[in-house]
Amino acid sequence: MKKIIAAAAALLVSGASFAQSVEVLHWWTSGGEAAALNVLKGNLEKQGVKWNDMPVAGGGGEQAMTALRARVTAGNPPTAVQMLGFDITDWAKQGVLADLNAVAAKEGWDKTVPKALQAFSKHDGKWIAAPVNVHSTNWVWANKEVLDKAGVTKLPASFDEFMDAAAKVQKAGFIALAHGGQPWQEATIFDGVVLSTGGIDFYRKAFISKDKAALGSDTMLKSFERMAQIRKLVDKDFSNRDWNLAAAMVINGKAGFQIMGDWAKGEFLNAKKVPGKDFVCFRFPGTQGMVSFNSDQFAMFKVGGDKAAAQVKLASAIMDPGFQSAFNVVKGSVPARTDVPDTAFDDCGKKGMKDLAEANTKNTLVGSMAHGHAVPASIKNAFYDVITRHFNGQIDSKAAVKEMVAAASN
Ligand code: BGC
């Protein structure tokens, strides 16, 4: 008898007792991201669904998308894949995504997910992805003690004020801007710079409509000139640094600022830092009242039998309001559902939820170019290339403007 009990216990521990399983491809590999993902893993495992993890590091998901292509080509897609905006649409067009309409109708997703997200979660009237959050890219993260030591008493509200504050931080002996020299990180900064320089209508013309006059304009030139100013704020070792290591420089008081989406907050929280006390969050100067969003969604691939049943459980777990609160509190994002209360969120999270709701009503909510919600990957990657070569001094601002126009016709 004892032996049988021991064997059963061993089975439980080894996970072999799970009746169903899901395989999930994602790029949540930093400390804060992994902590958030654990909330989902735990919830599913409580329901008897085993989680087979397929992590592929790299912000923005470029590497993850490459790994995915190989799996789909081999006829063996994962159950679910973390995906951004136009990538979802691209896969939907290939006819490889599952139809989630039954669970979506049963749970009323249509009523609780904002239309801006549904534009990507649905294709041809079918739900194909479950949105887990809304992030936004036009944020700045700062170390409070560094700002105090540098004599920055007021948070910068315009680009020029930001440059003044950064100069003070540098003067006080700190690195002004923690940055990782990877194309998607430079593009993330560019989202905020273009919004700040040109405003919401200009951003829409340039990045959503791919209007050649806007892309080739003096406003775009000024945006690149500002990128060149920002380039002077980074340390000499910035090249190819991961974003979470850049966040750590602000967390550890080596640097004053990081311009990054609100997934950065997950790193601060994971390091036990408190918003308002240890660090502050504010909108990229000049973009107050505007939100450039991206939403992590789990695109569901066509899988058969048992796998399909587990997939529906995963989709339903992602859309659970309690989960959307618990997950996003840790992740730094805000819920994709509009009916989740902000009570569990810290001040940055509450601000994020309020900003999103206001931007949605005032029509100042735009898809992030850097994170796949403005243009398809082919054009996004062509924009990345221009922005990065400019940031690294390989082309000047005038040439960059010209190349942006050409990239839009990619
Ligand atoms: C995703 C975030 C992620 C970040 C860095 C973004 O594209 O939307 O969820 O934390 O990349 O990995």
Side-chain angles (χ1 to χ4, degrees), residues 97-389:
L97 298 187
D99 178 354
L100 302 173
N101 270 4
V103 58
K106 192 169 140 223
E107 298 182 354
W109 296 2
D110 272 300
K111 280 179 270 137
T112 53
V113 174
K115 291 277 179 281
L117 300 198
Q118 287 192 30
F120 299 105
S121 336
K122 290 172 89 168
H123 185 72
D124 277 349
K126 281 188 198 134
W127 282 89
I128 44 170
V132 65
N133 65 8
V134 184
H135 270 302
S136 57
T137 56
N138 58 320
W139 284 106
V140 185
W141 308 88
N143 181 303
K144 190 130 190 312
E145 200 183 314
V146 171
L147 295 195
D148 289 347
K149 283 189 181 154
V152 177
T153 47
K154 177 185 167 284
L155 291 177
S158 66
F159 186 80
D160 291 341
E161 282 181 22
F162 177 67
M163 291 306 293
D164 287 346
K168 284 187 182 164
V169 171
Q170 265 178 340
K171 242 198 186 149
F174 302 97
I175 295 161
L177 186 70
H179 174 62
Q182 295 170 347
W184 75 269
Q185 294 190 57
E186 271 121 37
T188 302
I189 298 179
F190 202 59
D191 273 359
V193 168
V194 169
L195 260 187
S196 170
T197 310
I200 206 83
D201 292 338
F202 177 76
Y203 183 102
R204 282 206 171 102
K205 272 191 204 142
F207 286 158
I208 314 277
S209 315
K210 293 158 281 179
D211 176 280
K212 297 216 162 141
L215 285 164
S217 66
D218 284 349
T219 308
M220 191 51 79
L221 181 66
K222 191 166 177 198
S223 302
F224 275 106
E225 285 165 357
R226 286 180 161 182
M227 289 298 281
Q229 283 178 269
I230 289 177
R231 168 69 181 81
K232 297 197 179 119
L233 306 178
V234 312
D235 67 321
K236 64 173 186 15
D237 300 323
F238 78 102
S239 200
N240 203 31
R241 175 188 287 136
D242 286 333
W243 70 273
N244 51 318
L245 300 182
M249 291 163 66
V250 178
I251 293 171
N252 300 331
K254 274 185 133 182
F257 301 107
Q258 182 182 24
I259 303 168
M260 188 44 69
D262 40 12
W263 47 90
K265 193 186 80 180
E267 295 304 297
F268 284 85
L269 299 183
N270 198 45
K272 305 276 175 284
K273 300 294 177 190
V274 180
K277 182 174 156 275
D278 304 311
F279 69 97
V280 284
C281 58
F282 55 99
R283 290 292 172 183
F284 184 81
T287 71
Q288 298 88 327
M290 309 173 213
V291 172
S292 50
F293 83 96
N294 64 302
S295 164
D296 291 305
Q297 309 212 17
F298 281 94
M300 303 294 173
F301 278 75
K302 279 184 185 159
V303 286
D306 258 11
K307 282 189 179 170
Q311 183 176 58
V312 170
K313 278 192 184 168
L314 172 63
S316 174
I318 290 169
M319 296 306 291
D320 176 73
F323 162 74
Q324 292 229 342
S325 178
F327 173 89
N328 288 301
V329 159
V330 181
K331 181 72 171 66
S333 37
V334 305
R337 295 180 66 111
T338 51
D339 58 352
V340 177
D342 71 359
T343 33
F345 289 78
D346 58 34
D347 287 351
C348 293
K350 285 196 169 82
K351 177 171 165 50
M353 286 173 83
K354 190 166 159 267
D355 287 355
L356 178 65
E358 277 176 16
N360 196 21
T361 335
K362 291 190 186 143
N363 198 22
T364 53
L365 176 65
V366 286
S368 155
M369 179 280 291
H371 292 264
H373 284 69
V375 286
S378 53
I379 298 179
K380 179 191 79 173
N381 291 334
F383 283 164
Y384 273 18
D385 186 54
V386 181
I387 297 162
T388 284
R389 281 185 296 118

